[in-house]
Amino acid sequence: MRIFGPNELLEDVVKKDLCIGCGACIYLCPYFRSYMGKTAMLFPCTLTEGRCWAYCPKTEVDLDDLSKRFFDRPYDGDPLGFHGSVKISRAGSKFGTGSFQAGGTVSALMSFALNKGYIDAAVLTDRDGILPVPRLVTDPDDVLRCSCSKYTASPTLSALNQAIKEGYNHIGVVATPCQGLAIAKMRSNPTRIDDFTDPVGLVVGLFCTWALDFRAFDAFISERIDVDKITKVNIPPPPAEIMEIYTTDGKQEIPLDEIRKLVPDTCSYCIDMTSEFSDISVGVLEGRPDMNTIIVRTKRGQDIVDEAEKEGFLVLDDIPEENLEHLMWAANNKKKRALIKAEEDGLINTNQEDKRSYLRLNPEALKNIVA
Amino acid sequence: MSYLIDNNEGARYLLMGNESIVRGALEAGVKVAAGYPGTPSSEIIESLSKVGKEMDIYVEWSVNEKVAMEVAAAGSFAGLRSLCAMKQNGVNVASDFLLHLAGSGTRAGMVIVPCDDPGALSSVNEGESRYFARLVEIPLLEPGDFQEAKDMAKWAFELSEELRQIVMLRSVTRMSHASGNVVFGKLPVSDVHAEFKCDGFVLDPMEGIMTSAPVDYRHTQQQEKLNKAREIFEDCPFNTYDGPDSPELLIITSSACTLYSREAISILGLKDRVGLLKLGTTWPLPPKLLKKYLSMTDRIMIVEEVLPFLEENVKILAAEMAPEIGVKTFYGKNDGKIPMVGELNPDIVVNAIAQTLGIDYKAMPDEYANKAQGVAMAGTPSRELTFCPGCPHRASFWSIHNALELDGRKGFVCGDIGCYTLAILPCGFSSLKTTHSMGSGTGIASGFGKLGGFGFDQPILSVCGDSTFFHTGISALVNAVHHSSNFTMVILDNSGTAMTGFQPHPGLKVNALGDEVPSIDIEEVCRALGARVEVRDPFDLEETRKTINQLIEDKQGVNVLILRQICALSPEKKGKKKYEMTIDEEICLGENCGCNRVCTRIFRCPGLVWDKEKEVTRIDEVICTGCGVCADICPAGAIKKSSVLKEVA
Ligand SMILES: Cc1cc2nc3c(=O)[nH]c(=O)nc-3n(C[C@H](O)[C@H](O)[C@H](O)COP(=O)(O)OP(=O)(O)OC[C@H]3O[C@@H](n4cnc5c(N)ncnc54)[C@H](O)[C@@H]3O)c2cc1C
Ligand code: SF4
Ligand code: SF4
Ligand code: SF4
Ligand code: SF4
């Protein structure tokens, strides 16, 4: 696949409002920076091939290529992506208690991986008020400080780029699906850097239907709630249809309909609900706010999960059939909607030389999903 | 002792035009001098300030041109000969007072010296001061060479005293800044006593009150003064004619154009065919004198720079005299022979004359012109206008630019006049989106900041230098605070009027004469006005950027950010490096992804040089001032700074 540069990144992504602000292009160089949830290019860059374009999850992605690279098979459109076991889980007693979004599976896994030396640093997402703040953590005890979901898009991967600059080479990342896609692109060394070695030791992906635009959410919420008093934000599984905002003064509920207006358009082009390019993916479990759904995709993911369970960091159980069915239905729905939209916009498998696609995938998989 | 106060009559010196004017003023016994710095006028007050103590002259750099003229007027009212100097657009600033002063008249000789800048060599306008003389009805003199600059300056005081009216002595860049031989006259022995007499009959010009009212009475008097000037000018030795009795073409000119015209006539060898009437008194024109010369021929060319001031005035007279002198054909601005924009030079005049007389002559043959152009392109390095190495403005605009880009709401900067005007160019990251007159950036920002009700939501910044702050920035700030405008004013405080040569201003503890004076604290002033004030060092890029982002997010009121760092050329800093800079060539990324030469492609301090062969950046140690800023912009950490240890005595 041909690699382009920053000008095409501006053209394909930033100018089309497709940027989700994942941070993959931040700190690679002096030009791209993130501020208050928005990615800005400070000065023009004249290079025709750049890592910024190559790593961005919203520039052309060849799903077959990536799938082959990480899972040894072409992309088949499975609603949950390539995967091994799907279970339910929560943090084990060995990890201790804390404030988690759900079962604390993510925090327990990251803390365990740091403890055991599977990873030498963890890229997590902290917050300042409601602003998500990328954080590089090396002390397992600091993992808890970054627990809980920040429902706005976060430039988390800027901390990954900084970690690489600082020389870490077994980095663990907790990533949303788009961030996970960027990590996968980066790990496949698209710009063919000579002495490239994969610096990522573990990717724990989060499930995601959408994330909010920070500036829009900030303006919306500041009018209603004292942002400094917010302790946690939660979106309980359907059919609740609300966003719960916990503050030091109590809980407030906002109808999801109002919140959905703050979702950037780019999320509606996203085909991935379960972070398909991670080692382990984690989401909530309907009906059980204290538990997670967990999907294991790679061998190293499986090893860590097994060991964490053995050592009491993680408690696993089988997933109820109806939960799994509903998960697959929801994940497939997201794919279908996004692909239909992208296809309508002429962004899938374009064959003209000079026109870049948004996604490339084999026509069979495409047909399976859209059918 | 300065040569300017050499008291040997007949002594000969090579003087800059501005110095000649100063010598003339000294010979006239000037006692009060005030001005505001501005190229090409600055050397006048500067030279006077250097001899002020010895010659017992009060000299000051005033906050602005209007106040300078007022200070000088006080001298005249109190019986002291006085002078005020400024660049062309300074006259606009002073013009409100000038109008009223022309109405009230003056007492001891008072001269205003505006120095115009045709071609805008160091201005952002080609403003004309000559029209002000006509507009406010005062006499206008224009020296045509360096000796005349001195002699005319001296005479201007006498004329002013005779008329009891302020006299304008107008210079231009090529007169002020070029040099020629000047023979000195005597310096007077001064023994003056200052007193403002105001107890006499109210209308008495020497003992009454100084005012332009009652207007009909004073205005009538003013015109009588002008009539008197007209008469005096009829026999003035500064109006000269050179040429045959019946020339084919009569050139009428003044000021530096006299030199161009004389040279053009001589190049073309037309001494016997073309006459040159050089006028030193260009407003009001002496009609009898003009009648005499206009009668010599039917073809008249007027050679002057920028607007057709002389041309219009001559044409009016010629129209009135037509029944006696006949109908004339005029060449000049209106027929396009002489351009209305930019400076003139001998070549332009040569071409104009040759065309008019149908002579086949090109001042510069095409072949030669092409060749010269080629050599110039190949031989000289392309030099764009830029800030000096180590200039604090580069760092300030870096942070301003980055803050606005990060903010992403299409914010912009309104600027005004100072070195920082360059920020309209890439050297200031093209941050300035408006620049007009002194202090106007803040006034414009004050206006933009009130447009919220119409949906305006772009962040607004203004920039203003420390000297400009006192000049007119402060009144714009008062306006903005009072009207609850919403923007951030950035005061680029480099501790001096850097652009024109570090003249002192009210923020400093020293005045033009070198005396210690109370300084005015910009920070305290802004705070007292009710603005939120922050002070940062622009060399701390990240802190400055963060502060700007915070300030532009503030949706209420006026914020002031003072970015304080001494100018790289200031006498205090010059030659003293804070850091020794080196580049680690192993680390330098150069044109690769990850940098793409941000230092030499974007930041572009002249101290950084791109080594094309090695594909790494180098430090030019000769011009690097060791400010250390570039170390913080290098993404790879290739630019290293190490503190220069203080020498141990
Ligand atoms: C924007 C967003 C949308 C989501 N949407 C869904 C959904 O539709 N369905 C579903 O089942 N689950 C969704 N999740 C995942 C869910 O909210 C929990 O994060 C997940 O179940 C893990 O729970 P936990 O208790 O193990 O997490 P914790 O142990 O509390 O750890 C949470 C981890 O998430 C990371 N994190 C927080 N915010 C972000 C962010 N903005 N970007 C990247 N990393 C972040 C933190 O670094 C932390 O490590 C979403 C999460 C996010 C951030
Ligand atoms: S890499 Fe991420 S932050 Fe950068 S342009 Fe792409 S989506 Fe936006
Ligand atoms: S090509 Fe490289 S240097 Fe240029 S903007 Fe992209 S990441 Fe930065
Ligand atoms: S900014 Fe640093 S890495 Fe880039 S070219 Fe300059 S010295 Fe080299
Ligand atoms: S230290 Fe760097 S920025 Fe400062 S003058 Fe030297 S080269 Fe220029």
Side-chain angles (χ1 to χ4, degrees):
Chain A
M1 201 176 78
R2 212 185 131 187
I3 302 298
F4 292 87
N7 293 325
E8 289 78 10
L9 183 64
L10 288 179
E11 203 177 301
D12 297 358
V13 181
V14 181
K15 287 199 184 124
K16 286 190 185 147
D17 269 340
L18 286 178
C19 171
I20 187 62
C22 71
C25 62
I26 313 292
Y27 293 134
L28 291 173
C29 72
Y31 306 114
F32 285 101
R33 288 291 180 272
S34 175
Y35 183 72
M36 298 292 211
K38 278 255 177 304
T39 298
M41 191 177 196
L42 300 182
F43 295 102
C45 170
T46 54
L47 297 182
T48 50
E49 280 197 13
R51 292 172 295 160
C52 48
W53 187 89
Y55 297 174
C56 174
K58 304 287 178 173
T59 57
E60 189 164 89
V61 174
D62 190 323
L63 289 169
D64 274 344
D65 269 7
L66 277 190
S67 192
K68 280 181 205 152
R69 161 91 177 55
F70 289 101
F71 306 119
D72 286 326
R73 56 163 73 189
Y75 182 77
D76 63 5
D78 184 309
L80 303 186
F82 178 80
H83 63 272
S85 65
V86 182
K87 297 201 155 204
I88 65 171
S89 64
R90 63 173 169 80
S93 55
K94 198 64 184 299
F95 177 56
T97 50
S99 169
F100 309 121
Q101 194 61 34
T105 302
V106 172
S107 296
L109 281 170
M110 292 314 278
S111 175
F112 179 74
L114 265 176
N115 244 320
K116 292 288 155 176
Y118 282 105
I119 56 177
D120 55 6
V123 170
L124 304 175
T125 307
D126 199 351
R127 68 183 175 94
D128 174 7
I130 55 164
L131 178 73
V133 178
R135 195 72 80 205
L136 184 65
V137 165
T138 50
D139 183 341
D141 295 341
D142 287 341
V143 172
L144 256 183
R145 294 195 4 221
C146 298
S147 69
C148 292
S149 302
K150 290 83 197 175
Y151 284 99
T152 51
S154 162
T156 303
L157 299 186
S158 63
L160 173 60
N161 289 334
Q162 280 196 318
I164 296 169
K165 259 194 189 176
E166 286 172 28
Y168 294 100
N169 51 22
H170 284 84
I171 306 162
V173 193
V174 177
T176 56
C178 54
Q179 292 165 351
L181 182 58
I183 297 170
K185 289 175 90 176
M186 184 266 272
R187 291 169 69 194
S188 66
N189 189 20
T191 55
R192 293 171 298 276
I193 299 166
D194 288 342
D195 51 357
F196 182 85
T197 51
D198 182 353
V200 176
L202 176 69
V203 179
V204 174
L206 301 175
F207 292 7
C208 179
T209 319
W210 41 250
L212 301 172
D213 177 276
F214 170 75
R215 293 190 188 193
F217 185 57
D218 184 38
F220 176 88
I221 214 76
S222 303
E223 275 180 18
R224 292 164 175 79
I225 294 170
D226 181 349
V227 172
D228 295 329
K229 289 188 175 164
I230 296 176
T231 52
K232 185 177 171 177
V233 177
N234 190 35
I235 301 177
E241 277 296 306
I242 49 159
M243 174 183 261
E244 303 169 332
I245 300 186
Y246 297 86
T247 71
T248 46
D249 300 338
K251 188 173 91 170
Q252 287 209 32
E253 292 182 355
I254 298 173
L256 262 194
D257 270 349
E258 281 185 49
I259 297 292
R260 278 200 197 92
K261 292 179 192 149
L262 313 173
V263 176
D265 203 27
T266 182
C267 289
S268 59
Y269 288 90
C270 172
I271 63 163
D272 184 357
M273 196 186 93
T274 60
S275 280
E276 296 177 23
F277 290 96
S278 63
D279 294 294
I280 303 159
S281 298
V282 183
V284 298
L285 180 65
E286 278 176 39
R288 290 283 305 274
D290 61 328
M291 293 296 284
N292 293 110
T293 307
I294 180 168
I295 303 174
V296 181
R297 303 184 189 277
T298 63
K299 175 160 185 314
R300 76 179 178 197
Q302 191 64 58
D303 290 348
I304 291 174
V305 167
D306 289 346
E307 207 180 321
E309 185 189 20
K310 212 164 68 197
E311 299 211 7
F313 274 76
L314 209 60
V315 177
L316 291 167
D317 207 341
D318 291 333
I319 185 164
E321 194 55 40
E322 58 182 76
N323 283 84
L324 182 60
E325 264 171 34
H326 187 255
L327 177 66
M328 290 180 56
W329 173 83
N332 192 57
N333 249 348
K334 184 177 178 187
K335 271 197 202 328
K336 197 160 148 182
R337 270 198 309 262
L339 279 175
I340 290 172
K341 185 163 178 170
E343 211 176 15
E344 275 170 8
D345 288 1
L347 294 171
I348 308 283
N349 294 341
T350 42
N351 42 27
Q352 293 117 291
E353 266 287 299
D354 55 338
K355 198 154 177 246
R356 295 175 294 280
S357 292
Y358 168 63
L359 282 176
R360 288 189 183 281
L361 69 169
N362 60 71
E364 216 149 296
L366 179 61
K367 224 169 40 205
N368 284 345
I369 301 164
V370 180
Chain B
M1 188 190 79
S2 163
Y3 52 88
L4 286 175
I5 51 174
D6 181 346
N7 205 8
N8 282 319
E9 205 177 343
R12 184 185 289 268
Y13 281 96
L14 182 70
L15 294 191
M16 212 193 218
N18 279 344
E19 292 177 315
S20 307
I21 292 169
V22 166
R23 174 68 192 192
L26 289 170
E27 289 180 12
V30 70
K31 283 289 150 214
V32 175
Y36 184 83
T39 315
S41 73
S42 309
E43 296 82 7
I44 297 174
I45 295 299
E46 204 143 271
S47 306
L48 281 167
S49 74
K50 283 186 192 133
V51 302
K53 282 262 156 74
E54 267 166 290
M55 298 301 289
D56 199 16
I57 305 170
Y58 174 69
V59 186
E60 75 167 41
W61 283 119
S62 311
V63 287
N64 63 34
E65 294 85 352
K66 175 173 171 283
V67 174
M69 193 179 283
E70 288 155 356
V71 166
S76 164
F77 295 171
L80 304 177
R81 287 191 168 180
S82 69
L83 171 147
C84 60
M86 57 203 64
K87 71 181 294 172
Q88 73 278 9
N89 43 308
V91 184
N92 298 47
V93 178
S95 64
D96 190 14
F97 178 66
L98 179 60
L99 171 69
H100 292 91
L101 180 66
S104 80
T106 52
R107 287 184 185 169
M110 176 169 176
V111 178
I112 168 184
V113 186
C115 301
D116 289 10
D117 189 15
L121 301 168
S122 38
S123 309
V124 288
N125 65 74
E126 279 195 303
E128 278 267 14
S129 61
R130 295 180 297 172
Y131 282 88
F132 278 100
R134 193 166 80 185
L135 189 70
V136 305
E137 303 163 71
I138 60 170
L140 169 66
L141 307 180
E142 294 185 75
D145 62 36
F146 303 96
Q147 180 69 44
E148 227 177 57
K150 190 220 80 172
D151 296 341
M152 210 182 244
K154 179 164 181 269
W155 182 62
F157 286 91
E158 291 157 17
L159 178 68
S160 163
E161 232 155 66
E162 193 174 344
L163 301 174
R164 302 291 172 209
Q165 182 62 297
I166 183 170
V167 169
M168 180 182 280
L169 177 72
R170 180 235 190 198
S171 177
V172 293
T173 304
R174 300 296 174 188
M175 183 57 62
S176 286
H177 281 176
S179 301
N181 273 325
V182 177
V183 181
F184 281 14
K186 268 231 113 18
L187 292 175
V189 190
S190 89
D191 152 35
V192 283
H193 173 73
E195 185 190 352
F196 177 44
K197 298 203 178 89
C198 50
D199 297 337
F201 173 53
V202 284
L203 294 180
D204 186 293
M206 298 307 285
E207 291 183 0
I209 60 172
M210 299 303 286
T211 174
S212 55
V215 173
D216 52 357
Y217 172 76
R218 302 270 190 194
H219 197 184
T220 307
Q221 282 220 316
Q222 199 184 337
Q223 284 174 357
E224 274 166 21
K225 292 174 185 179
L226 213 55
N227 285 338
K228 194 165 163 194
R230 202 174 268 126
E231 250 159 60
I232 295 171
F233 291 169
E234 293 287 6
D235 308 310
C236 173
F238 297 117
N239 300 325
T240 57
Y241 176 75
D242 197 7
D245 290 343
S246 310
E248 280 170 57
L249 179 73
L250 173 69
I251 292 181
I252 306 182
T253 189
S254 67
S255 190
C257 297
T258 312
L259 305 169
Y260 309 146
S261 304
R262 206 174 278 149
E263 197 171 326
I265 294 171
S266 127
I267 288 172
L268 292 169
L270 294 175
K271 267 193 165 2
D272 302 332
R273 293 170 63 191
V274 176
L276 181 67
L277 175 62
K278 180 240 121 177
L279 294 176
T281 64
T282 40
W283 179 257
L285 287 178
K288 284 183 218 128
L289 180 102
L290 270 124
K291 188 171 171 188
K292 176 174 158 200
Y293 292 104
L294 290 174
S295 307
M296 288 174 152
T297 178
D298 289 339
R299 304 173 84 187
I300 291 132
M301 174 180 289
I302 288 144
V303 178
E304 65 191 311
E305 283 171 322
V306 193
L307 297 181
F309 176 77
L310 194 55
E311 185 170 327
E312 288 165 6
N313 296 334
V314 170
K315 279 178 176 170
I316 291 169
L317 281 181
E320 285 169 1
M321 298 168 184
E324 296 156 75
I325 63 172
V327 176
K328 307 290 173 190
T329 307
F330 284 96
Y331 308 96
K333 307 278 177 191
N334 275 5
D335 72 332
K337 289 243 165 23
I338 305 283
M340 287 238 218
V341 174
E343 281 196 297
L344 296 191
N345 57 41
D347 287 350
I348 295 174
V349 185
V350 163
N351 287 338
I353 299 174
Q355 247 184 53
T356 308
L357 296 182
I359 297 169
D360 190 19
Y361 184 95
K362 267 243 164 100
M364 199 194 274
D366 290 341
E367 197 192 324
Y368 176 81
N370 289 339
K371 210 169 158 191
Q373 178 108 23
V375 172
M377 292 308 236
T380 50
S382 77
R383 282 229 175 86
E384 60 196 84
L385 282 170
T386 187
F387 295 123
C388 304
C391 174
H393 294 329
R394 179 178 292 101
S396 297
F397 283 107
W398 178 267
S399 302
I400 288 173
H401 169 91
N402 287 355
L404 289 175
E405 289 297 324
L406 289 177
D407 179 89
R409 288 176 294 156
K410 302 200 170 98
F412 59 89
V413 189
C414 302
D416 55 33
I417 309 297
C419 293
Y420 51 92
T421 308
L422 284 181
I424 52 176
L425 303 174
C427 69
F429 318 109
S430 309
S431 317
L432 283 199
K433 300 303 181 190
T434 77
T435 34
H436 300 85
S437 59
M438 297 284 288
S440 64
T442 305
I444 291 176
S446 173
F448 276 128
K450 292 305 296 177
L451 303 182
F454 303 99
F456 190 97
D457 59 1
Q458 295 160 267
I460 310 153
L461 288 170
S462 77
V463 289
C464 171
D466 41 345
S467 184
T468 313
F469 175 76
F470 293 111
H471 182 283
T472 30
I474 194 167
S475 46
L477 178 60
V478 169
N479 187 72
V481 173
H482 175 64
H483 291 105
S484 315
S485 187
N486 176 226
F487 68 96
T488 299
M489 176 186 199
V490 181
I491 300 177
L492 302 167
D493 182 356
N494 57 6
S495 300
T497 317
M499 187 179 188
T500 48
F502 301 101
Q503 292 82 4
H505 64 61
L508 306 180
K509 286 194 165 59
V510 63
N511 68 6
L513 291 167
D515 296 325
E516 199 172 308
V517 287
S519 63
I520 288 144
D521 187 333
I522 298 180
E523 193 181 331
E524 288 306 315
V525 169
C526 296
R527 232 170 237 136
L529 289 178
R532 166 181 170 192
V533 184
E534 302 285 345
V535 183
R536 296 288 182 276
D537 174 0
F539 284 176
D540 187 341
L541 298 176
E542 189 50 20
E543 193 50 38
T544 302
R545 199 275 307 150
K546 261 194 211 150
T547 308
I548 297 169
N549 274 121
Q550 278 165 11
L551 292 178
I552 62 180
E553 273 156 35
D554 185 352
K555 296 205 170 65
Q556 238 140 46
V558 180
N559 300 321
V560 171
L561 172 62
I562 301 176
L563 292 180
R564 193 174 287 155
Q565 181 63 245
I566 298 177
C567 169
L569 294 181
S570 82
E572 281 155 82
K573 238 188 198 177
K574 225 173 174 177
K576 288 172 211 145
K577 286 193 184 186
K578 188 160 181 225
Y579 298 105
E580 204 57 63
M581 308 302 294
T582 48
I583 291 193
D584 187 330
E585 295 184 359
E586 296 291 303
I587 304 180
C588 174
L589 293 163
E591 270 165 347
N592 293 319
C593 175
C595 179
N596 193 13
R597 295 205 288 118
V598 72
C599 59
T600 51
R601 192 175 60 89
I602 307 284
F603 186 68
R604 292 209 281 199
C605 170
L608 298 159
V609 187
W610 175 239
D611 186 330
K612 272 196 193 129
E613 255 140 58
K614 282 189 171 168
E615 302 196 322
V616 289
T617 294
R618 275 192 298 111
I619 300 273
D620 182 339
E621 276 164 35
V622 179
I623 60 170
C624 165
T625 67
C627 70
V629 173
C630 55
D632 293 332
I633 64 137
C634 172
I639 308 182
K640 313 265 185 204
K641 59 180 185 188
S642 57
S643 282
V644 175
L645 290 177
K646 294 230 166 64
E647 264 178 58
V648 189

